[in-house]
Amino acid sequence: MIHLASRVPDPAVRRLTAILYGYAFLSDLVLLYPLYVVFFADTGLSVGQISSLFVIWSAAGILFEVPSGAWADVVSRRLLLCLAPLVTAAGFALWVLLPSYPAFAVGFLLWGAGGALVSGALEALVWTELDRLGAVGRYARVLGRARTAGVLGVVVSGVLAGPVLAVGGYPAVGAVSVLACLLATIVAARFPEHRPPADARVDAPVQAGVPAPASGHDPAAAVRPVAAAMPGDREPDGSPADDEGDLGWWDTLRAGVTQVRTRPPVRSAVLLVAVVAADWGALDEYSPLLALDTGVRAEVVPLLLLLLWAGVTVGGLLAGVGERLGRRGYAALLGLVGVGLAGGALTGRPAGFVLLALGFGAAQLATVLADARLQARITGNSRATVTSLAGMATDLLIIGTYAGYGLLATVVGNAVAFAATAGPYLVLGLVLLTRRRPTVVPASSTAAAAHGLR
């Protein structure tokens, strides 16, 4: 086993992670989060108009996701992380200065664009910097803690939104939200970023019969148990290393799309991220309705939702433990997501939110591990582009989940629709358990043992 962390200059890693956690916290410290639907209703918008705004929001994310990822690969990932909060802040300012449907629509376009600027760029920057420091084995743990920092930002927003609204109304809530975005930009400017030289070749995935680099540096080895969660899609022996050189925006975009299209390991990792992240990401929006269906008063709903966010927080913090999971362990984790979400919804009681919290926490952990698996399989200089493709696939599935849930809930109610929507996790877990490993004929038994291809 290669212990990458033993060669880590700890101060550099601590600096990177401190900046990352601060950025994640401030990016989600938006007091408008728990109030924007109420704000729209108070402005006079109908439910149909509010729903159309959500569609605009999702469509903006899909539209800007992949182009911004390619931009991050070509220009600067840190630059995009600085710009994203500014774009989002402009949307929030527009809302409170000109409260109207057109302003809300433009604001959601800006918010979607801001989210797209971060998606892909953040994961690519963190992976690359940890890889440079010889600490890529910490990626899943670091990303899980960053997600937890974002959850804490949402929780603090929920706590502060009411008092700030009572004191200064929506203008004050908007001003604090804009201030948090500006602080996030300041923090983002401190991210380290070291771009690889234009003529540097990119390491190819370790293959049977091919010796490891002389340095012994194998980023994929750090997350190999997670990468084994979906076996059967290794590349053929002898595939060449990617050598993209210094590409322009369009060529970088094409290189990222080509990598997903032609490399089964990357394609399966992208699909796994999308499937795992989309379902629970969509179901989260319906959890308040599920809480009301249990018969509690509206004032109790936030307390039940805090249980869910507590579960998500724990799931993110367990990433360091979860990265040791193999194929069966990851399948069991997905089964826990399905059972927790479906079982909690079908109880029809407030106590069911304990099961829901368990399911949401397991889903957060599964998402972090899926992302780590994707980053380990990407090669070349299109890392942010490929990651953005996973984000776009996730957004598309989320929109489909919204549509399906809405139709199903109209017929059978929220609880059954919630449980049915959690079903894919059980199906995916069963697929992982029953899918056979491919027969691999290694070049030598020594190489096979070294790389886990028995």
Side-chain angles (χ1 to χ4, degrees):
M1 175 179 285
I2 301 173
H3 295 283
L4 298 175
S6 62
R7 299 182 285 107
V8 173
D10 284 336
V13 175
R14 286 199 298 267
R15 177 175 179 266
L16 171 65
T17 55
I19 294 170
L20 173 63
Y21 301 156
Y23 183 76
F25 176 80
L26 290 170
S27 296
D28 282 328
L29 187 63
V30 177
L31 272 61
L32 280 168
Y33 276 169
L35 293 172
Y36 63 81
V37 174
V38 180
F39 180 32
F40 298 160
D42 287 346
T43 306
L45 268 62
S46 66
V47 175
Q49 288 176 312
I50 294 174
S51 297
S52 68
L53 290 175
F54 290 158
V55 173
I56 292 172
W57 189 15
S58 299
I62 294 172
L63 178 65
F64 295 114
E65 183 77 52
V66 178
S68 66
W71 188 23
D73 285 325
V74 172
V75 183
S76 166
R77 294 160 185 168
R78 178 174 58 196
L79 174 62
L80 265 66
L81 296 179
C82 291
L83 290 177
L86 296 179
V87 173
T88 304
F92 294 155
L94 188 63
W95 282 1
V96 295
L97 292 175
L98 299 170
S100 60
Y101 182 87
F104 296 149
V106 174
F108 267 123
L109 281 173
L110 292 172
W111 196 356
L117 291 175
V118 173
S119 177
L122 181 67
E123 294 87 349
L125 184 146
V126 173
W127 175 276
T128 301
E129 291 302 314
L130 288 175
D131 191 15
R132 182 182 66 86
L133 296 170
V136 76
R138 300 187 182 185
Y139 176 80
R141 190 178 317 155
V142 167
L143 184 64
R145 292 174 179 174
R147 299 276 178 88
T148 298
V151 171
L152 292 177
V154 173
V155 172
V156 173
S157 298
V159 172
L160 296 179
V164 172
L165 179 65
V167 172
Y170 290 116
V173 172
V176 175
S177 300
V178 169
L179 176 61
C181 291
L182 296 179
L183 292 175
T185 292
I186 294 173
V187 171
R190 301 184 61 83
F191 270 117
E193 183 177 26
H194 297 79
R195 308 292 288 185
D199 58 350
R201 290 187 65 85
V202 181
D203 293 339
V206 177
Q207 300 156 21
V210 181
S215 64
H217 182 55
D218 175 13
V223 289
R224 187 162 287 129
V226 176
M230 286 285 281
D233 49 11
R234 294 183 183 275
E235 292 177 290
D237 291 349
S239 59
D242 291 355
D243 186 11
E244 296 172 4
D246 190 12
L247 302 179
W249 177 86
W250 177 250
D251 288 334
T252 300
L253 178 61
R254 290 182 59 190
V257 173
T258 299
Q259 186 169 167
V260 175
R261 182 173 56 84
T262 61
R263 292 186 56 204
V266 178
R267 185 168 61 248
S268 70
V270 166
L271 292 175
L272 182 65
V273 169
V275 172
V276 171
D279 254 22
W280 78 278
L283 286 176
D284 175 55
E285 301 296 334
Y286 298 102
S287 55
L289 298 177
L290 202 63
L292 287 174
D293 286 348
T294 64
V296 300
R297 300 189 310 274
E299 295 81 3
V300 181
V301 171
L303 298 179
L304 293 179
L305 297 185
L306 281 178
L307 266 179
L308 303 187
W309 288 113
V312 172
T313 300
V314 173
L317 293 176
L318 289 176
V321 177
E323 62 187 340
R324 303 171 190 168
L325 294 175
R327 178 173 59 97
R328 293 182 179 277
Y330 193 78
L333 180 65
L334 293 177
L336 182 60
V337 176
V339 171
L341 297 181
L346 292 175
T347 60
R349 298 174 180 273
F353 270 70
V354 175
L355 270 178
L356 287 171
L358 182 65
F360 274 109
Q364 173 76 306
L365 176 58
T367 302
V368 172
L369 297 179
D371 180 80
R373 175 179 178 272
L374 171 62
Q375 296 302 324
R377 294 188 172 196
I378 300 173
T379 62
N381 296 328
S382 302
R383 181 170 298 277
T385 305
V386 175
T387 308
S388 291
L389 284 166
M392 184 183 72
T394 302
D395 288 337
L396 288 170
L397 286 178
I398 285 178
I399 290 179
T401 303
Y402 284 154
Y405 185 99
L407 292 173
L408 194 58
T410 302
V411 178
V412 297
N414 281 303
V416 175
F418 203 100
T421 306
Y425 289 111
L426 297 174
V427 174
L428 182 56
L430 289 174
V431 169
L432 292 181
L433 285 176
T434 57
R435 189 174 181 182
R436 293 184 177 180
R437 292 178 180 273
T439 301
V440 179
V441 181
S444 69
S445 59
T446 302
H451 302 308
L453 302 179
R454 295 184 183 274

